[in-house]
Amino acid sequence: MPVITYREALNQAMEEEMRRDPNVLLMGEEVGQFNGAYKVSEGLLDKFGPERVIDTPISEAGFIGAGIGASMLGVRPIMELMFWSFYSVAFDQILNNAANVRYMSGGQINCPIVIRGPANGGTNVGATHSHTPENVCANHPGVKVVVPCTAYDAKGLLKSAIRDNDPVMFMENTILYNDRMEVPEEEYLIPLGKADVKRVGKDLSIIAHGRSVIHSLKVAEILQEKYNISAEVVDLRSIRPLDEETILASVRKTHRVLLVEENKPFCGVDAQIAYIIQDKAFDDLDAPIKRVSSIDAPQIYCPPLEKEQMPNPDRILKAALALMK
Amino acid sequence: MPVVSPFVTAAINSGLSKDAKIALYRELMRIRRFEERSLRAYQAGKIGGFLHLYIGQEAVAVGCCSVMGKDDHVITAYRDHGHAMAVGMDTKALMAEVFGKVTGCSKGKGGSMHYFAPEKNYWGGHGIVGGQIPLGAGLAFGLKYLKRKGAAMAFMGDGAVNQGAVHEAFNLAALWNLPVVFVIENNRYSMGTSQSRSSAGTSLAQRAAGYSMAWDVCNGHDLYEVREKADKYLTIAREQHKPAVLEIDTYRYRGHSVADPDKTYRSKAEIEEYQKTKDPINIFQASLLAEKVLTQEIIEKIDQEARAEADLAAEFAEASPYPTVEDITKDIYWEEDNLDKKVSQGRIIFD
């Protein structure tokens, strides 16, 4: 099987879907001539031309809104946000227009768009460029939210997102763009709403999404090797729809839960996950649910401290050990 | 202004048959009577939330929509009843919608500000000032991308021109040569703030010049002129993929919404002056009388029919049921409404 990067996986997903369906196009800042601010769209302009790989001005409300409008006619735009942080200047377009138009029209209109780009901290770019808005977006019925953490997942999920007839918010991670793994050559799709047990264990469930899964997998290894604790790592992959069954099955097996995410804690995704677990598996819990999230402050610039602010293997390990006491 | 508009001889108008002119007059009257009837329903407590009446502005929607080609599209803001009727939506479904009934055009889920009829190329009905304008540019983008021969009309009020999203859409439309006509319905007040207190510069449409986009102004009290200008820019958009901004002077007799006491920012005398001298229905009626198209008898008949239609719509709305609690969580996701085609897994609606 070929080994490719997370970036290449995304690129392949877009290329394959653009070849499959002429209504799929890519628009965004620097996606064409510049080959992508993070090179995710590299080569697509040459392959598909400027009619389908469209450089936009720095004008998120304008081009995201235009993509939404075009999607109502059946065009299927993939719109790249250079950073998901920039969603805030297109908030009305995404979370009023795309999220609500189906409902407000009584189900007459649908909006087959994908908005994708990196949503992560950890690159020392300060509070304006480090948002992880999966919780904010998922709070809006009408949109779907996907957060892949491996190349395999990124490809299969992006292809599904592009084929989806609802608006999908697809959140990537600049720090993962160079991560490599084996990805099959033949076509595959991963349905939205299907979590993945990335490591099987029996003593503790670590439930995470995004880059926190990668950290959690490292911690699970340490727990096994140094402490003889068998941790299961559940990667949500999709926030909305959410795979409750896989979450609950893991909890019923291990009886202890650590939730890890890069969101800030207040109203983070894991607040909802914790609610679901206590609601549906209360009697299965042997200990209170614990969380590791980013320390509750705007994202700090200071490089060594930003590492501390975010979930990292040290913080996750500490929390896991406290939970196992 | 002469009784018969000089625009009566414009190409788009000169070919109008007597019946076509009467039909246009009927459209104006239907909207006015519908709006008056919905106001009474609001006052009777039948309608929740806001009600932004179109009374006084009828010639804008009727004029513009009457020159639409078969693949031309419309999107507008929350003062959307006139446009909905002008594209041919059924008044029963419109009235039922503001009553919050399941028989409404959006099944009671959208309300007065959110009428939609995609099968009539009518894309809403949007609540946030200026927020629909990028969507309008997107409709135009979509038409062009799909190689369909049509144009979009994106309506907004005069208050919207100060929103960033509008200018972003202007820039994209000009930059990408999109077939869109941005129509500013300038009724002089953005809610309770007059144009001179809200918008720098003398002309709103002139802002298009900053994007090297064509712009024009239009007397919105004269249906013939509205038709001529709308047709001109729609044709250019459709044929040449060139956008334009068309500012149409108009006036609303009622408050910004029915909840607006309408006493703080303009005088009663000003409203009366408009009603007396610039009412679009009176002007068109006088013209058609002078043109010997209308008679008092036809005028009376059309009025009676328009009132009866509005009453029938209200009766229909009154008699219709509300949606159910179960209906609240439908029409959110395409996939959930099309379970036979569903591929996603997991849970998507939560407790």
Side-chain angles (χ1 to χ4, degrees):
Chain A
M1 249 194 281
V3 174
I4 62 168
T5 63
Y6 183 106
R7 170 188 288 113
E8 287 162 345
L10 293 166
N11 183 285
Q12 288 181 6
M14 289 194 285
E15 179 177 347
E16 287 175 20
E17 291 308 301
M18 288 176 77
R19 288 205 192 288
R20 189 185 61 81
D21 182 351
N23 285 339
V24 177
L25 59 84
L26 172 66
M27 59 163 79
E29 294 152 12
E30 312 291 1
V31 297
Q33 204 175 306
F34 196 84
N35 272 317
Y38 286 99
K39 306 295 172 216
V40 174
S41 57
E42 192 160 27
L44 294 181
L45 176 65
D46 288 343
K47 287 169 183 152
F48 297 101
E51 279 180 11
R52 295 183 68 195
V53 178
I54 301 156
D55 282 317
T56 69
I58 300 172
S59 184
E60 287 85 2
F63 81 76
I64 299 267
I68 296 165
S71 80
M72 301 191 304
L73 288 180
V75 180
R76 306 181 76 89
I78 307 165
M79 289 171 276
E80 178 172 306
L81 283 171
M82 194 183 292
F83 294 88
W84 253 101
S85 277
F86 303 161
Y87 87 122
S88 56
V89 292
F91 198 98
D92 180 50
Q93 297 304 320
I94 302 169
L95 295 170
N96 254 327
N97 290 344
N100 292 340
V101 74
R102 179 168 186 80
Y103 198 71
M104 294 194 305
S105 66
Q108 295 181 83
I109 296 170
N110 61 302
C111 206
I113 58 164
V114 175
I115 302 178
R116 51 152 290 271
N120 59 281
T123 56
N124 318 136
V125 288
T128 58
H129 286 59
S130 305
H131 293 91
T132 51
E134 59 269 28
N135 57 334
V136 177
C137 291
N139 189 243
H140 291 76
V143 301
K144 296 176 177 174
V145 182
V146 180
V147 188
C149 74
T150 67
Y152 177 83
D153 291 348
K155 184 173 180 184
L157 286 166
L158 183 54
K159 283 170 68 78
S160 291
I162 293 167
R163 295 184 192 189
D164 202 288
N165 282 333
D166 294 306
V168 183
M169 311 294 115
F170 195 91
M171 300 187 188
E172 304 158 8
N173 191 310
T174 54
I175 297 171
L176 302 178
Y177 277 150
N178 286 329
D179 282 10
R180 292 172 174 278
M181 75 181 290
E182 282 191 339
V183 171
E185 232 162 337
E186 58 276 15
E187 179 169 64
Y188 65 96
L189 294 161
I190 299 172
L192 309 192
K194 195 170 186 315
D196 184 38
V197 178
K198 288 250 178 334
R199 181 187 173 107
V200 176
K202 59 180 177 49
D203 301 328
L204 164 70
S205 296
I206 304 180
I207 299 168
H209 65 274
R211 187 173 164 233
S212 296
V213 175
I214 310 296
H215 292 322
S216 299
L217 286 167
K218 279 183 195 140
V219 170
E221 262 177 55
I222 298 166
L223 286 169
Q224 188 65 60
E225 283 167 19
K226 284 197 180 164
Y227 303 93
N228 199 30
I229 294 169
S230 163
E232 178 150 297
V233 178
V234 177
D235 175 6
L236 297 177
R237 298 200 292 200
S238 167
I239 307 301
R240 187 171 187 149
L242 180 72
D243 186 351
E244 279 188 355
E245 281 175 31
T246 299
I247 295 169
L248 294 171
S250 183
V251 173
R252 288 181 181 128
K253 181 164 69 165
T254 67
H255 310 294
R256 287 172 195 268
V257 182
L258 178 64
L259 305 175
V260 188
E261 66 176 331
E262 206 176 303
N263 262 179
K264 305 298 191 289
F266 193 92
C267 297
V269 168
D270 286 345
Q272 177 72 17
I273 308 288
Y275 164 76
I276 290 168
I277 293 170
Q278 67 79 36
D279 186 43
K280 299 200 166 152
F282 186 77
D283 291 335
D284 289 291
L285 290 171
D286 286 345
I289 299 164
K290 292 289 179 192
R291 293 174 66 189
V292 176
S293 40
S294 284
I295 292 172
D296 199 12
Q299 199 80 2
I300 194 166
Y301 158 67
C302 172
L305 277 187
E306 192 188 14
K307 279 201 185 90
E308 288 308 309
Q309 183 176 13
M310 295 168 58
N312 56 44
D314 288 348
R315 288 183 58 209
I316 298 167
L317 179 63
K318 220 163 137 187
L321 291 173
L323 184 54
M324 295 308 293
K325 266 187 188 155
Chain B
M1 190 175 141
V3 172
V4 179
S5 161
F7 288 90
V8 73
T9 54
I12 188 76
N13 295 320
S14 62
L16 282 173
S17 68
K18 202 170 155 180
D19 284 349
K21 289 181 179 185
I22 293 173
L24 288 166
Y25 177 78
R26 180 178 289 114
E27 287 305 301
L28 297 172
M29 281 310 296
R30 286 178 66 234
I31 294 172
R32 178 145 314 174
R33 296 304 179 225
F34 178 88
E35 292 292 67
E36 289 168 350
R37 186 66 191 82
S38 58
L39 174 60
R40 290 207 302 284
Y42 189 92
Q43 288 161 339
K46 302 288 184 190
I47 298 174
F50 301 134
L51 182 66
H52 304 90
L53 296 171
Y54 202 60
I55 299 172
Q57 300 186 204
E58 295 91 343
V60 181
V62 171
C64 290
C65 295
S66 69
V67 297
M68 281 167 68
K70 78 174 183 331
D71 210 358
D72 290 343
H73 295 255
V74 175
I75 191 164
T76 187
Y78 42 80
R79 199 178 305 285
D80 60 346
H81 300 185
H83 311 76
M85 289 180 67
V87 298
M89 287 181 76
D90 173 21
T91 45
K92 291 197 291 299
L94 298 181
M95 192 68 88
E97 185 62 28
V98 293
F99 276 55
K101 299 300 181 72
V102 73
T103 51
C105 49
S106 295
K107 304 181 189 168
K109 294 179 173 182
S112 163
M113 300 190 282
H114 309 119
Y115 285 174
F116 291 85
E119 79 286 359
K120 297 190 186 305
N121 297 350
Y122 183 60
W123 301 94
H126 293 266
I128 303 297
V129 172
Q132 77 282 11
I133 301 304
L135 301 186
L139 290 169
F141 176 89
L143 289 167
K144 191 174 170 184
Y145 184 83
L146 297 168
K147 301 195 172 8
R148 284 160 54 170
K149 191 163 184 184
M153 272 189 290
F155 290 86
M156 72 197 96
D158 44 298
V161 299
N162 299 316
Q163 286 278 38
V166 170
H167 286 269
E168 294 194 28
F170 282 4
N171 181 55
L172 290 180
L175 186 71
W176 291 346
N177 297 314
L178 300 181
V180 56
V181 181
F182 299 105
V183 181
I184 303 169
E185 296 190 61
N186 185 352
N187 66 22
R188 298 186 44 193
Y189 298 94
S190 54
M191 201 167 152
T193 305
S194 66
Q195 184 181 331
S196 63
R197 293 175 61 231
S198 59
S199 298
T202 49
S203 157
L204 302 180
Q206 198 178 5
R207 296 185 184 195
Y211 305 98
S212 297
M213 187 165 33
W215 61 277
D216 204 344
V217 292
C218 174
N219 171 9
H221 310 289
D222 176 359
L223 183 77
Y224 285 130
E225 181 171 346
V226 174
R227 281 173 49 83
E228 199 275 332
K229 295 269 169 71
D231 175 64
K232 175 179 170 185
Y233 292 103
L234 269 179
T235 303
I236 292 171
R238 220 184 281 129
E239 305 289 332
Q240 301 171 36
H241 287 163
K242 282 199 180 126
V245 176
L246 179 59
E247 177 182 352
I248 304 184
D249 286 325
T250 183
Y251 196 75
R252 62 167 155 79
Y253 300 154
R254 297 287 169 172
H256 163 73
S257 83
V258 176
D260 165 11
D262 193 16
K263 283 179 183 150
T264 57
Y265 57 89
R266 59 181 182 176
S267 66
K268 217 174 151 193
E270 179 184 294
I271 301 170
E272 283 167 1
E273 179 66 15
Y274 267 95
Q275 288 172 320
K276 218 165 73 190
T277 65
K278 292 187 170 170
D279 184 87
I281 297 181
N282 289 346
I283 288 173
F284 195 54
Q285 186 190 92
S287 178
L288 295 189
L289 283 168
E291 294 175 58
K292 309 229 178 301
V293 169
L294 277 180
T295 62
Q296 285 304 333
E297 199 186 2
I298 301 172
I299 290 169
E300 187 56 32
K301 186 166 175 278
I302 287 174
D303 192 17
Q304 289 309 321
E305 286 168 355
R307 286 172 195 273
E309 182 188 359
D311 284 339
L312 185 69
E315 283 161 29
F316 172 81
E318 181 73 40
S320 293
Y322 289 111
T324 63
V325 171
E326 289 70 38
D327 289 332
I328 295 174
T329 48
K330 291 174 187 159
D331 304 310
I332 302 171
Y333 293 96
W334 181 91
E335 207 177 18
E336 300 304 304
D337 299 333
N338 294 275
L339 289 174
D340 55 322
K341 298 187 187 89
K342 181 173 172 168
V343 291
S344 292
Q345 303 181 12
R347 180 161 187 184
I348 197 146
I349 303 295
F350 295 83
D351 297 334

